[in-house]
């Protein structure tokens, strides 16, 4: 592992984000809640994108019990529905002229075989395709800001299996863990390919990936054995959010990097550069995934050239 300059980094020392617009998917619980709470405490304008509006309200109420003047906007977003993604983006564009940070955080883990509203396997459809569509539709708002960043949450389980392009939606021989690993590999391939395309467009916006290690969240509700081990082996959600926060805020971060905990097997610890396997480095697979994702979602990216390129 290549350790970042952020080893033993503390998010508490970060400057205020007053006036900045931060969008966090899946922010009513788990890592997303911790990220939203952190930026609310830094005086940012936090957009909490939640599948359940009522749960988002409960989460916002909890955050405001810590920060009474928190600026929070709760918006409904179901990443398992492309219609919901498009409606959400329309709402964001009607209220904001720019986004400073986008956290592609929401996800599902090790679920029984299910399809999204658009017919995609649930984990691939939610974890990757939903965020692919969301990012593409919001790209103009993100790239209008010189210092914007896109942080996509992956997992150390991205190494479980290769991306099988011929069986992304097949129910035959479905294995919930391999499907999860495949979706997390897709997240990583997407984050890296997005950075390559941003660089070619001479954009100052950067794309970074992060993973939380083993963090105790309700994401493990379908995992059985692993859920039982949470109280004994998992770090807190707040600690698990640190790699994403470091990726989003540190001046030491560069586009196309991957961050996770620095401890044993990257399960817990302080933010550091994470290991990237050969599968995630495969540019041919990344380009193929991009093309397939455009075809499946109907979202084609347009990379606006920002002011730094002028």
């Amino acid at each position: 592992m290549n350790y970042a300059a952020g080893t033993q980094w503390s998010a508490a020392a970060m400057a205020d984000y007053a006036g900045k617009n931060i969008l966090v998917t899946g922010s009513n619980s788990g890592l997303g809640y911790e990220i939203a709470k952190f930026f609310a405490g830094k005086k940012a304008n936090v957009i909490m994108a939640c599948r359940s509006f009522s749960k988002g309200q409960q989460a916002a109420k909890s955050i405001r019990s810590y920060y009474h003047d928190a600026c929070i906007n709760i918006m409904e977003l179901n990443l398992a529905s492309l219609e919901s993604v498009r409606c959400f983006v329309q709402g964001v564009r009607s209220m904001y002229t720019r986004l400073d940070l986008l956290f592609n955080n929401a996800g599902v883990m090790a679920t029984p075989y299910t399809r999204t509203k658009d017919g995609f396997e649930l984990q691939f459809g939610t974890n990757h395709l939903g965020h692919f569509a969301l990012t593409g539709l919001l790209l103009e708002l993100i790239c209008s800001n010189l210092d914007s960043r896109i942080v996509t949450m992956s997992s150390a389980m991205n190494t479980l299996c290769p991306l099988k392009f011929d069986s992304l939606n097949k129910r035959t021989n479905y294995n919930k863990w391999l499907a999860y690993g495949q979706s997390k590999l897709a997240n990583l391939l997407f984050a890296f390919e997005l950075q390559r395309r941003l660089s070619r467009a001479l954009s100052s916006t950067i794309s970074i990936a992060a993973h939380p290690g083993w963090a105790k969240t309700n994401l493990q509700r379908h995992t059985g054995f692993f859920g039982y081990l949470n109280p004994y082996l998992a770090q807190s959600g707040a600690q698990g959010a640190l790699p994403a926060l470091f990726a989003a805020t540190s001046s030491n971060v560069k586009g196309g990097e991957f961050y996770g905990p620095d401890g044993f097997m990257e399960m817990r610890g302080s933010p550091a550069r994470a290991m990237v396997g050969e599968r995630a480095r495969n540019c041919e697979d990344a380009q193929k995934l991009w093309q397939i994702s455009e075809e499946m979602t109907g979202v084609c990216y347009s990379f606006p050239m920002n002011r730094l390129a002028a």
Side-chain angles (χ1 to χ4, degrees), residues 143-161:
C143 288
S144 67
N145 184 347
L146 292 176
D147 301 314
S148 57
R149 298 186 186 189
I150 300 163
V151 180
T152 300
M153 295 301 291
S154 182
S155 165
M157 291 187 180
N158 75 83
T159 59
L160 282 179
C161 63

Side-chain angles (χ1 to χ4, degrees), residues 62-83:
S62 174
I63 291 173
R64 289 192 175 106
S65 71
Y66 294 93
Y67 309 110
H68 301 294
D69 59 348
C71 184
I72 296 172
N73 183 6
I74 307 157
M75 299 183 67
E76 190 171 331
L77 170 64
N78 180 4
L79 287 161
S81 164
L82 292 175
E83 180 183 6

Side-chain angles (χ1 to χ4, degrees), residues 14 17 39 101 103 147 149 151 208 243-250 253:
M14 198 186 79
Y17 260 56
F39 280 103
L101 287 173
F103 286 91
D147 301 314
R149 298 186 186 189
V151 180
I208 320 105
L245 292 174
F246 181 83
T249 63
S250 174
V253 168

Side-chain angles (χ1 to χ4, degrees), residues 87-105:
C87 288
F88 173 82
V89 169
Q90 287 179 357
V92 172
R93 292 177 67 89
S94 71
M95 290 182 279
Y96 300 92
T97 57
R98 76 169 201 281
L99 288 176
D100 298 272
L101 287 173
L102 169 62
F103 286 91
N104 288 326
N105 164 78

